[in-house]
Amino acid sequence: MTLVRSFALACALSLGSALSAQAADVSEELIALERKAWDAWKTGDDNAYANLTGEPAVKVSGGGIVAGKESFVAVEIPENCTDRGYALDSFTAHKITETVYALTYAAQLKQTCGGEPEDHSLYATSIWSKVDGDWKTVVLAEADVYEPADLDGDTRPENTEEAGSVEEAESGAEDAERKGE
């Protein structure tokens, strides 16, 4: 009986090791593909970028939400930007299913758009899906990195004229309460 348990344990450990190795292989492949996408961005090669992109091709960022492969590629590689450079760091691959992974990382990028230099630090999540045997990025979400001093504890927009301020809304609610409304 001990021999059977030992054999079962050895099989389970070997299967676990094989699955871990497979996940590590997928992680390495996706990181290489993400870097390839960034290389296409750097050189302005929209065809290479499009070849790594699958549908629904959704991008979410501070600039808005874009959907559809053509629009996605056009936003990622605008024609008026040049002198691109980047650095990527802190990759982690998160398995969602056998054919869907989320890749998270930090990026620093520099480019010149419309003659104006831009320098960004951001956190990104790209969702990769295996489509017809090839990995394609289908969702990209980016968030700018902010220093804590930039937030100063108040996350409300500075311009509150259109909607009114929070204080005005609270004051109005108190007035209505006093009047029995």
Side-chain angles (χ1 to χ4, degrees):
M1 190 70 167
T2 303
L3 183 61
V4 172
R5 282 188 206 155
S6 296
F7 179 73
L9 180 59
C11 287
L13 290 173
S14 168
L15 178 60
S17 294
L19 292 175
S20 291
Q22 181 184 11
D25 289 347
V26 170
S27 295
E28 289 175 21
E29 182 179 3
L30 294 177
I31 291 168
L33 288 170
E34 190 71 36
R35 289 185 186 284
K36 190 173 178 180
W38 276 89
D39 287 341
W41 171 83
K42 181 180 178 181
T43 61
D45 188 345
D46 54 354
N47 288 324
Y49 199 90
N51 287 334
L52 294 166
T53 305
E55 292 294 348
V58 175
K59 178 176 182 177
V60 179
S61 70
I65 300 170
V66 175
K69 189 173 179 175
E70 188 176 321
S71 297
F72 182 94
V73 172
V75 165
E76 282 301 289
I77 306 184
E79 293 179 9
N80 70 331
C81 296
T82 59
D83 302 323
R84 296 179 175 115
Y86 71 90
L88 306 176
D89 193 17
S90 304
F91 281 98
T92 304
H94 308 271
K95 181 179 177 181
I96 298 171
T97 69
E98 291 296 322
T99 59
V100 178
Y101 276 73
L103 191 61
T104 57
Y105 59 94
Q108 295 77 43
L109 62 101
K110 292 183 179 189
Q111 63 183 348
T112 301
C113 294
E116 296 294 321
E118 295 181 4
D119 188 358
H120 299 282
S121 292
L122 55 91
Y123 295 113
T125 299
S126 56
I127 306 294
W128 290 83
S129 179
K130 201 162 202 175
V131 179
D132 297 327
D134 294 321
W135 288 104
K136 304 286 183 180
T137 185
V138 293
V139 176
L140 175 62
E142 297 175 339
D144 287 333
V145 175
Y146 293 99
E147 295 298 320
D150 291 345
L151 296 178
D152 73 12
D154 187 0
T155 58
R156 294 177 294 175
E158 288 183 41
N159 182 358
T160 57
E161 290 177 22
E162 274 186 41
S165 70
V166 172
E167 289 82 9
E168 289 172 353
E170 289 171 353
S171 173
E174 289 171 5
D175 290 342
E177 201 173 287
R178 277 194 296 266
K179 293 178 184 175
E181 295 176 3

